[in-house]
Amino acid sequence: MKKILIINGPNLNLLGVREKEIYGSLTLNDINKILIKKFKNVSLYFYQGNIEGEIVSKIGESIGKYDGIVINPGAYSHYSIAILDAIRSIDIPVIEIHLSNIYNREEYRRKSVTAQGCKGIISGFGYYGYIMAINALINKCFGGER
């Protein structure tokens, strides 16, 4: 069974409380439960961190443990060269997701530095972005295409 690590960055622990008009009313725990229920054919592992260095460490520790990563780097996506370098340092497919459409937001949110190291980016579909990313890993990355 394939193993997928889902990394959530800063402030995603506050989902369901913060800016519901942008991020929705589901909590991160709600989203995780939906994913577990939907994907019985893969093993999902969840990590949420507010500290950049801990996210970098988690990516580095993924070598040999996980077959794919879904990452929502939150605000770090816009400036974290450290997370980009960590993604580029591993030979594991990574897909970046954002709950909101970052291209329809403030100018500073419209660029994702970290996406440059990822297989793809999914933005603007709320929690369904996680489902899309896991499906992409299963069907595209694990299906032999890299």
Side-chain angles (χ1 to χ4, degrees):
M1 186 176 292
K2 297 292 186 180
K3 297 178 181 177
I4 298 174
L5 174 62
I6 300 171
I7 298 174
N8 286 287
N11 298 313
L12 288 161
N13 57 310
L14 298 174
L15 288 177
V17 176
R18 73 181 275 232
E19 299 175 284
K20 291 181 186 180
E21 68 282 0
I22 296 173
Y23 301 109
S25 60
L26 293 176
T27 67
L28 187 57
N29 193 45
D30 293 336
I31 294 170
N32 293 347
K33 287 178 183 177
I34 290 169
L35 298 177
I36 290 167
K37 187 175 181 180
K38 177 141 184 78
F39 293 99
K40 305 229 183 270
N41 58 334
V42 294
S43 294
L44 300 177
Y45 301 85
F46 301 96
Y47 174 78
Q48 189 279 322
N50 292 316
I51 300 170
E52 183 180 29
E54 291 178 3
I55 294 170
V56 168
S57 293
K58 194 63 157 175
I59 293 168
E61 293 165 4
S62 68
I63 298 169
K65 291 183 182 177
Y66 304 105
D67 301 295
I69 296 175
V70 173
I71 186 167
N72 182 342
Y76 288 137
S77 63
H78 310 298
Y79 63 87
S80 180
I81 303 301
I83 292 175
L84 170 61
D85 287 347
I87 291 168
R88 286 182 169 164
S89 296
I90 61 172
D91 189 25
I92 300 168
V94 179
I95 297 178
E96 180 171 312
I97 78 116
H98 294 278
L99 295 167
S100 68
N101 181 349
I102 63 172
Y103 303 103
N104 195 27
R105 305 240 353 239
E106 303 91 342
E107 184 65 35
Y108 66 89
R109 293 187 195 273
R110 295 181 188 164
K111 180 174 180 169
S112 174
V113 171
T114 53
Q116 295 173 43
C118 297
K119 294 290 181 194
I121 181 172
I122 298 168
S123 172
F125 294 96
Y127 81 89
Y128 194 70
Y130 290 94
I131 294 171
M132 293 166 67
I134 293 167
N135 277 324
L137 284 172
I138 292 168
N139 296 309
K140 183 169 174 60
C141 298
F142 299 162
E145 295 181 52
R146 286 218 169 213

